[in-house]
Amino acid sequence: MLSGKVAMVTGGSRGIGRAVSLSLAEAGADVAVIYAGNRDAAEETADKIRRVSRQADIIQADVSDAGQVDSAVKKILESFGRIDILVNNAGITRDNLMLRMKEEDWDRVVDTNLKGVFLCIKAVTRPMLKKRSGRIINISSVVGISGNPGQANYVAAKAGVIGLTKSAAKELASRGITVNAVAPGFIETDMTAQLGEEVREEMMSQIPLARLGKPEDVAGAVRFLASDAAGYITGQTLHVDGGMVTS
Amino acid sequence: MADTLDRVKRIIVDRLGVDASEVTLEASIKDDLGADSLDVMDMILELEDEFSMEISDEEAEKINTVQDIVTYIESRA
């Protein structure tokens, strides 16, 4: 389905990013795993990719730093020769009530979760424009649509990603590049594992499909949007949330 | 000069889908040849490949006519 394609996945070492990397590899793509700090986890993802006989590379980069993003893209082009698919998955949280939220917590989250997406899109646009084809998939969140107390920074950034997705889609459509977002609901990852039992039960009561999502659920949506089957879809946000948010 | 102009012309015809006869030295890329900003970006990328050079955003913004492109490339050769 994706054989001969090269994917760049940010935040690819763990959680949703790892599942996405593996899913794209299983569909035939070679994958460059971008990670911020956890080298061992990134290596583990790369090993799993190689086990399905695809090429994998790990590259450390802070997506909020233009210089690091540009050099990561350069490295990928040198070792893989092309970039067909970009998955902007890297994200962090610094949750707090707004009254208690430090300016730095706002900046860090918006820099990584929103500016990082912009910088990565900007960096891969050049090679994609030249080839007149490309797939860009941004991981947003349903809280970017519904809002969530205690996550003003995260929610603002994730809502921003949806707007950025729409603009990029319109800007790049004439050159055969599609840009879509995936908005996961509550997915079982390290990020949500820290939540207490009470919060989990409260969450569960809001999910019509009555279970938390798995990283693989999100990966399936990403794989679809990266495939030829999604060639006529751009500027959209696909919810992967068990029916939690339906508008 | 003639060679540079021919190569530039070929790229413009190919990227902007205009007739070769329209691509005169005085022709403005945007006003006369109907390129939008993404077309210009596209053409610049193609010129970079063709002439193995990098054209900075600042330089790209100064380009208006076909002559500007030829002059710029010749100055870098």
Side-chain angles (χ1 to χ4, degrees):
Chain A
M1 195 164 82
L2 298 176
S3 42
K5 307 269 189 201
V6 173
M8 165 176 171
V9 181
T10 70
S13 63
R14 294 180 298 150
I16 291 173
R18 173 180 284 179
V20 165
S21 298
L22 284 178
S23 178
L24 295 176
E26 280 161 6
D30 294 327
V31 185
V33 176
I34 312 297
Y35 70 102
N38 195 334
R39 191 188 169 87
D40 289 344
E43 253 327 327
E44 209 178 299
T45 304
D47 280 345
K48 286 175 190 274
I49 292 166
R50 293 182 192 115
R51 249 175 267 154
V52 295
S53 308
R54 299 318 316 165
Q55 195 186 334
D57 236 350
I58 63 166
I59 299 167
Q60 183 175 24
D62 174 354
V63 295
S64 67
D65 180 312
Q68 293 188 35
V69 169
D70 287 346
S71 84
V73 166
K74 214 167 156 193
K75 273 184 208 156
I76 298 170
L77 291 173
E78 274 162 17
S79 48
F80 294 87
R82 52 194 289 167
I83 299 177
D84 304 283
I85 301 159
L86 164 67
V87 181
N88 282 304
N89 165 73
I92 58 168
T93 54
R94 293 280 186 281
D95 297 352
N96 216 330
L97 294 173
M98 281 215 278
L99 276 173
R100 300 230 170 88
M101 190 176 285
K102 295 194 187 76
E103 185 180 357
E104 190 207 335
D105 293 334
W106 173 274
D107 288 344
R108 287 280 302 277
V109 168
V110 172
D111 279 357
T112 300
N113 299 11
L114 180 56
K115 182 179 157 191
V117 176
F118 161 68
L119 291 175
C120 289
I121 291 177
K122 189 173 148 120
V124 302
T125 296
R126 201 180 179 82
M128 285 184 179
L129 269 184
K130 285 196 180 185
K131 303 224 346 258
R132 299 199 163 287
S133 77
R135 291 296 164 85
I136 297 172
I137 297 135
N138 303 320
I139 307 299
S140 176
S141 167
V142 287
V143 299
I145 295 146
S146 64
N148 204 24
Q151 289 199 301
N153 47 3
Y154 186 80
V155 168
K158 292 299 189 182
V161 166
I162 293 174
L164 175 58
T165 298
K166 292 175 184 173
S167 277
K170 291 191 171 172
E171 219 170 276
L172 301 171
S174 65
R175 300 310 191 268
I177 302 167
T178 68
V179 189
N180 290 290
V182 170
F186 290 115
I187 308 296
E188 303 248 30
T189 63
D190 295 349
M191 218 186 247
T192 50
Q194 308 154 2
L195 301 167
E197 195 53 41
E198 210 175 305
V199 181
R200 286 170 79 93
E201 270 174 30
E202 166 62 25
M203 272 162 39
M204 206 74 100
S205 70
Q206 299 170 33
I207 305 172
L209 284 176
R211 66 169 177 87
L212 294 191
K214 297 194 221 45
E216 290 72 24
D217 292 319
V218 181
V222 172
R223 178 152 89 169
F224 163 65
L225 290 171
S227 74
D228 288 342
Y232 197 54
I233 300 172
T234 195
Q236 303 301 312
T237 300
L238 182 52
H239 295 201
V240 182
D241 64 355
M244 213 171 79
V245 176
T246 49
S247 63
Chain B
M1 168 83 189
D3 174 53
T4 305
L5 178 60
D6 282 346
R7 288 158 74 192
V8 169
K9 257 191 181 174
R10 202 179 60 237
I11 286 171
I12 293 175
V13 167
D14 177 51
R15 287 288 141 168
L16 304 185
V18 292
D19 199 90
S21 64
E22 294 176 71
V23 189
T24 60
L25 282 171
E26 305 76 41
S28 157
I29 306 292
K30 284 187 173 174
D31 297 338
D32 299 325
L33 303 178
D36 65 18
S37 47
L38 198 55
D39 291 328
V40 173
M41 181 83 207
D42 231 4
M43 185 191 70
I44 298 283
L45 295 178
E46 203 60 35
L47 288 167
E48 288 183 339
D49 281 353
E50 173 74 22
F51 295 96
S52 310
M53 58 168 64
E54 284 219 0
I55 303 173
S56 69
D57 291 345
E58 293 75 40
E59 291 298 335
E61 271 170 31
K62 289 185 204 151
I63 290 172
N64 177 30
T65 63
V66 176
Q67 177 73 64
D68 293 342
I69 298 174
V70 174
T71 307
Y72 178 75
I73 290 167
E74 303 255 299
S75 76
R76 293 276 302 269

